[in-house]
Amino acid sequence: MRERLGSEPRIVRALFAAILVLGFPIAIALPQDLNGKIYASGAVALIAAAAAILAAALVRRRKGPGDASRAAAPRSAQEDPSGTGRWSLELLRRLEWRRFEELCAAYYEALGFTTTQARCGTDGGADIGLVAGGADKPSSIAQCKGWSVYTVGIKPVRELRAAMAAAGVPQGVLLACGTFTSEAKEFSRGENIQLIDGGELLRKIGALAPEQGQALLKLATAGDFSTPTCPACGIKMTARTSSTEGRRFWGCLNYPRCKRTFFGASNAPA
C-alpha cells in the first residue's frame, strides 16, 4: 500500500487508526455477549479498512495524471538543460534566420527535392527553389520567416507571390516559426501558396524517419544557432545597446563599414 499511495500513507494510516480508536470501545461496550463483541469489533475493523482504501483512491484521483508529468519535468530539464535534445516550438523559435532557412532547405532535401537558393531582400532571406526528382528546374519556391514568433501578416505572402511570378513558378511555400493572420491565409488560398507555421513544421519533421528527424535536429543546433548572421557580410553579429534609446539590438562586427542591424522583441539580444 505504501508504494501505491506515495506520499499519502500517513493520512490513510491516521484515518484507519482514528476509526479503530473510536469504534472499538463502542463495539465492545454495546453487545452483551462475547460473540456480539467479536462481530462488532470485526465490523469496525472492516469499516476502517474500507474507509482507508476509499480515502487513498480519492487522493489519487484528485492528484491526477498531470501531477506525474509535472513531477517528471524537472528531471527532464536537468537531463537536457539547453533544450536542444529534442524538437520543440521554443527551440524552433530560437533559431536565427539563416539557420532556420538551412533547416527548411534540409527538410525538403529529406523529402527528395533538390534545392537551389538565391539571396533576396536587404534583411536576409532567400528564395529556395524546390526541384523534384528528374526535373531540370524548380516547380515551387519556398521562403522562410525565422524569428517570426507571433503572427505573420499578408506582406510576406505578397512578396512570395511576386517572386513566383518573376521566376515563372506556379507554386509557393512560406514557412514561419509563428502563425499566420487570417488575411495572409485568405490571400494564400487564391495564389497557390502553402503556409506552414511552426507547429505544422514540427509535425512534418516528426513524420520523417527517426534518423532523418535527428539529422535535422543536429543540423539545427550545431554551434551557435541563435546569434544572427549579418545578411551582407555573412558573419555572426554582436549584441549592442542603442546610445539614444537604451534598446538592445544586433549589429554587424564590421560597423561602421556595415550598418546592418536587427531590432525587435522576438529577436533582441538578452
Side-chain angles (χ1 to χ4, degrees):
M1 181 179 286
R2 290 183 181 180
E3 284 184 22
R4 293 178 62 190
L5 299 181
S7 62
E8 286 73 40
R10 287 180 297 178
I11 298 175
V12 175
R13 287 198 299 269
L15 177 62
F16 184 79
I19 295 176
L20 292 181
V21 170
L22 296 175
F24 270 139
I26 299 174
I28 294 173
L30 289 180
Q32 298 299 317
D33 60 331
L34 179 60
N35 288 336
K37 294 179 184 294
I38 293 174
Y39 289 141
S41 298
V44 169
L46 289 175
I47 293 172
I53 294 173
L54 178 60
L58 290 175
V59 169
R60 284 198 299 269
R61 184 174 181 181
R62 180 174 294 181
K63 188 175 181 181
D67 293 273
S69 62
R70 285 191 291 271
R75 290 195 295 272
S76 299
Q78 290 173 4
E79 293 169 2
D80 183 25
S82 65
T84 60
R86 63 182 182 85
W87 282 113
S88 68
L89 198 55
E90 180 182 358
L91 173 60
L92 195 67
R93 291 171 175 175
R94 289 168 59 191
L95 303 183
E96 58 114 350
W97 67 271
R98 176 163 288 180
R99 186 63 62 89
F100 181 68
E101 185 179 279
E102 291 170 349
L103 169 65
C104 294
Y107 165 73
Y108 282 105
E109 289 172 0
L111 294 181
F113 289 92
T114 299
T115 61
T116 62
Q117 295 188 25
R119 290 287 141 197
C120 63
T122 59
D123 292 329
D127 290 336
I128 303 175
L130 305 180
V131 184
D136 57 357
K137 63 179 182 179
S139 58
S140 182
I141 287 180
Q143 288 187 351
C144 310
K145 291 298 176 184
W147 281 353
S148 302
V149 176
Y150 303 111
T151 54
V152 179
I154 194 173
K155 182 180 177 182
V157 189
R158 292 186 183 277
E159 292 173 347
L160 174 56
R161 182 66 188 89
M164 291 163 54
V169 173
Q171 299 177 334
V173 184
L174 185 60
L175 304 101
C177 294
T179 58
F180 295 93
T181 64
S182 56
E183 187 181 22
K185 293 177 181 178
E186 182 64 28
F187 180 82
S188 69
R189 293 188 188 101
E191 300 297 338
N192 208 17
I193 294 175
Q194 181 184 14
L195 302 182
I196 301 178
D197 61 21
E200 180 64 19
L201 179 57
L202 290 183
R203 286 189 287 273
K204 289 180 177 295
I205 292 176
L208 295 173
E211 60 273 17
Q212 291 177 310
Q214 284 300 312
L216 292 180
L217 180 62
K218 185 177 180 180
L219 167 69
T221 58
D224 183 358
F225 59 86
S226 58
T227 301
T229 302
C230 175
C233 303
I235 59 175
K236 290 293 185 179
M237 305 176 87
T238 186
R240 292 201 169 98
T241 303
S242 171
S243 58
T244 56
E245 301 176 358
R247 288 195 302 166
R248 299 278 287 169
F249 67 97
W250 296 106
C252 184
L253 287 170
N254 290 330
Y255 179 86
R257 181 166 56 86
C258 178
K259 298 182 180 179
R260 296 292 174 84
T261 59
F262 280 116
F263 283 88
S266 65
N267 55 20

